[in-house]
Amino acid sequence: MKALIWILSLFVFTVLNIILGAATGFRAGSVLFYLIWFYSARAMCNAWDKSRISKNAEKAGMRPFEYIKTQIPETVLERCEENRGDYDSLKRIVKAYTKEKLISRAYADILLEEYRLK
């Protein structure tokens, strides 16, 4: 499904770029246009991942955080627990783990939502 999101959004943005380029005669903005496409497609894929996690957790009768707990390395959860009170440092830690590819962006969002509530 994520591949379909990328392909369809690329098609839509390309058509919009052609239409706007033909209407205005300004095609230098296409680089900015495709940067917008990239970040919006990435956000749509992240939203898709989060919805799949929520549906799977609901089927299992759990909250999304409880569902992903078993799939996240134990060190990540321990480090998050240590920084439970300090949301800014927790955000930096989760971002670092996302960059290291230890957790996905959807998992990072669920972790931050869980620790923001408490």
Side-chain angles (χ1 to χ4, degrees), residues 36-63:
I36 293 169
W37 159 74
F38 175 78
Y39 286 107
S40 64
R42 192 169 79 168
M44 286 187 283
C45 286
N46 191 33
W48 171 259
D49 286 341
K50 284 175 59 176
S51 73
R52 297 304 307 162
I53 291 168
S54 295
K55 285 181 182 178
N56 290 339
E58 193 175 296
K59 285 180 186 175
M62 301 180 200
R63 292 185 1 223

Side-chain angles (χ1 to χ4, degrees), residues 60-78:
M62 301 180 200
R63 292 185 1 223
F65 177 71
E66 294 167 350
Y67 182 76
I68 67 168
K69 251 178 145 175
T70 60
Q71 301 168 4
I72 294 177
E74 199 61 37
T75 55
V76 173
L77 290 173
E78 289 172 2

